[in-house]
Amino acid sequence: MPKRPGSQLLARPSRRTLIELHKFGMNAKQRRDFLQGEQVIFEDPSTEKSVIYVFKLDRGIFRAGIWDLISDESGAIMNFSNQARSLGQTLGVSHLELFGADIRNTRLARLLAKRGFSEGESVFIRGYGFSKHVPTLRKMERLKNE
């Protein structure tokens, strides 16, 4: 996809890109900010319990995280990971960095460690009444994009 000079913004994001971002729960402003390389924090409207995502597009890396996830009920992490991989491939990025931010459930932290996640750089959360850095567990994946 063509990019505007000096910007992360896709000059013309594909319809598929916009649909996938909308399916995650991003509104038009959040989609625009994300495509310009800004970190966006938004709630998934399709989930019963509040699930908040943190996304950033950063020099060929799609950083996709879940903030304050309490448990992995009904495969929430796998579902999120699969959707994020699909979006990363649609965006044409070379890498996907999955992360969990501010995980306080030790059982969930151990589960993520078994799946290859390790302590990583903190993420700054501004929104939903917060303005602070929170710890993360991260996992980098190389995406196969043709």
Side-chain angles (χ1 to χ4, degrees), residues 43-51 73:
E43 195 167 349
D44 183 345
S46 70
T47 58
E48 269 184 47
K49 297 180 182 176
S50 179
V51 176
E73 290 180 25

Side-chain angles (χ1 to χ4, degrees), residues 57-102:
L57 190 56
D58 187 17
R59 294 171 293 201
I61 301 171
F62 170 34
R63 302 181 195 285
I66 302 177
W67 174 36
D68 199 23
L69 184 65
I70 296 167
S71 71
D72 188 23
E73 290 180 25
S74 65
I77 295 170
M78 184 182 295
N79 184 42
F80 172 77
S81 299
N82 289 337
Q83 285 182 295
R85 270 185 212 94
S86 175
L87 178 55
Q89 290 172 332
T90 299
L91 291 167
V93 297
S94 60
H95 289 84
L96 168 65
E97 183 178 49
L98 297 167
F99 67 91
D102 206 16

Side-chain angles (χ1 to χ4, degrees), residues 4-130:
R4 290 187 184 166
S7 171
Q8 291 282 331
L9 181 65
L10 300 175
R12 286 194 162 156
S14 70
R15 180 170 169 76
R16 182 175 171 196
T17 297
L18 296 175
I19 289 169
E20 286 192 44
L21 292 171
H22 179 74
K23 283 182 182 177
F24 265 109
M26 277 192 207
N27 63 35
K29 181 184 181 329
Q30 291 164 333
R31 289 190 298 267
R32 186 172 46 254
D33 290 348
F34 169 74
L35 293 169
Q36 290 176 347
E38 299 294 321
Q39 177 178 286
V40 293
I41 301 172
F42 59 99
E43 195 167 349
D44 183 345
S46 70
T47 58
E48 269 184 47
K49 297 180 182 176
S50 179
V51 176
I52 300 173
Y53 298 136
V54 181
F55 281 11
K56 184 170 183 172
L57 190 56
D58 187 17
R59 294 171 293 201
I61 301 171
F62 170 34
R63 302 181 195 285
I66 302 177
W67 174 36
D68 199 23
L69 184 65
I70 296 167
S71 71
D72 188 23
E73 290 180 25
S74 65
I77 295 170
M78 184 182 295
N79 184 42
F80 172 77
S81 299
N82 289 337
Q83 285 182 295
R85 270 185 212 94
S86 175
L87 178 55
Q89 290 172 332
T90 299
L91 291 167
V93 297
S94 60
H95 289 84
L96 168 65
E97 183 178 49
L98 297 167
F99 67 91
D102 206 16
I103 298 171
R104 294 180 227 151
N105 178 328
T106 55
R107 211 165 85 207
L108 179 59
R110 282 193 304 270
L111 172 71
L112 290 174
K114 285 180 183 177
R115 293 183 183 174
F117 286 74
S118 58
E119 288 185 26
E121 183 181 337
S122 66
V123 66
F124 187 70
I125 301 291
R126 179 174 301 164
Y128 297 90
F130 290 88

